[in-house]
Amino acid sequence: NAGVMQNPRHLVRRRGQEARLRCSPMKGHSHVYWYRQLPEEGLKFMVYLQKENIIDESGMPKERFSAEFPKEGPSILRIQQVVRGDSAAYFCASSPKGQGLSGELFFGEGSRLTVL
Amino acid sequence: RKEVEQDPGPFNVPEGATVAFNCTYSNSASQSFFWYRQDCRKEPKLLMSVYSSGNEDGRFTAQLNRASQYISLLIRDSKLSDSATYLCVVNAGGTGGFKTIFGAGTRLFVKA
């Protein structure tokens, strides 16, 4: 499957634990975006990364959330000390170049985090 | 005001009906516009881009009015398989370049 791969698809954590969500972009894509979708709500932009660089993190909560996209390996969205309000679907998308006029984002199937 | 606003929905229509989705955006510097479709508990997928001249893809027609900052999607002869949430998407200026903003979506139910 040459699409955007996310894992785990489902993750259950207790309050206070850490959650790590991984995303491998489509082959040939060097730009990764993370979005969060709460139940019955739209997608909210979190962060935009290129390899080894955070380009735009204006949608990331100031505490407990971090993201990286290392030179080798997948992009990681890390949530420390999870709370019930973090329960959501986290979607990763990739594009071959920066968000621009061409615009299409290719999404993974999402990682559904449940915090007990 | 939200950056991208859509009809709250849901829309419940019979098969064969014509249904129109409306969307407005707040950033006049926005550069590109799209409609995505999201099925229940699935990822969003691009339905079509929206151009100033308007564009059509089979039963689907998209329109853009830059002066009014308004985007529309028309579905003709709706099918059961069109049932989904339709997301209006705008590429706006942001830190480090453009930022893709999704509307909250409008859910469509097509019934036999």
Side-chain angles (χ1 to χ4, degrees):
Chain A
N1 186 344
V4 178
M5 301 300 293
Q6 289 188 248
N7 69 85
R9 293 288 310 281
H10 299 274
L11 181 63
V12 179
R13 285 288 178 266
R14 297 191 181 278
R15 280 178 296 171
Q17 291 185 317
E18 179 179 287
R20 281 187 183 230
L21 310 177
R22 288 175 290 277
C23 170
S24 296
M26 281 183 73
K27 188 176 180 180
H29 288 191
S30 58
H31 299 256
V32 165
Y33 316 83
W34 285 94
Y35 285 81
R36 175 164 65 175
Q37 187 171 36
L38 296 170
E40 305 302 320
E41 294 190 15
L43 284 90
K44 300 296 184 188
F45 169 78
M46 298 183 76
V47 63
Y48 162 31
L49 310 106
Q50 295 178 34
K51 287 282 187 181
E52 299 184 281
N53 282 308
I54 296 175
I55 306 301
D56 184 341
E57 57 181 346
S58 57
M60 288 280 271
K62 295 286 185 259
E63 298 176 344
R64 302 189 298 107
F65 284 73
S66 62
E68 62 175 1
F69 189 15
K71 187 176 180 182
E72 301 292 337
S75 175
I76 307 258
L77 179 67
R78 182 183 178 204
I79 311 172
Q80 296 177 288
Q81 299 174 319
V82 296
V83 301
R84 288 216 174 107
D86 297 333
S87 296
Y90 291 83
F91 286 98
C92 171
S94 72
S95 66
K97 56 182 80 173
Q99 298 180 88
L101 301 184
S102 62
E104 182 175 3
L105 299 181
F106 297 83
F107 281 85
E109 293 182 309
S111 291
R112 282 170 174 76
L113 172 66
T114 301
V115 180
L116 301 178
Chain B
R1 183 184 172 187
K2 291 181 181 176
E3 292 181 89
V4 179
E5 291 203 64
Q6 295 187 241
D7 294 327
F11 291 175
N12 292 282
V13 303
E15 272 188 292
T18 295
V19 59
F21 300 95
N22 301 309
C23 172
T24 56
Y25 59 95
S26 60
N27 186 342
S28 58
S30 298
Q31 293 293 317
S32 52
F33 311 89
F34 310 88
W35 285 99
Y36 277 68
R37 170 190 170 133
Q38 185 174 24
D39 291 286
C40 189
R41 299 187 66 78
K42 297 286 189 181
E43 73 274 23
K45 293 184 179 177
L46 179 67
L47 179 65
M48 58 196 304
S49 302
V50 188
Y51 304 115
S52 296
S53 54
N55 48 300
E56 188 173 308
D57 182 2
R59 299 181 292 109
F60 299 82
T61 301
Q63 297 276 356
L64 167 64
N65 184 322
R66 284 187 184 271
S68 303
Q69 295 180 204
Y70 168 82
I71 306 160
S72 66
L73 175 69
L74 189 75
I75 304 178
R76 290 181 300 278
D77 188 24
S78 51
K79 312 290 185 192
L80 294 175
S81 57
D82 293 334
S83 297
T85 297
Y86 290 83
L87 305 169
C88 176
V89 182
V90 173
N91 270 350
T95 304
F98 292 96
K99 185 165 63 178
T100 304
I101 307 296
F102 283 74
T106 303
R107 187 171 289 186
L108 172 66
F109 295 100
V110 181
K111 299 188 184 300

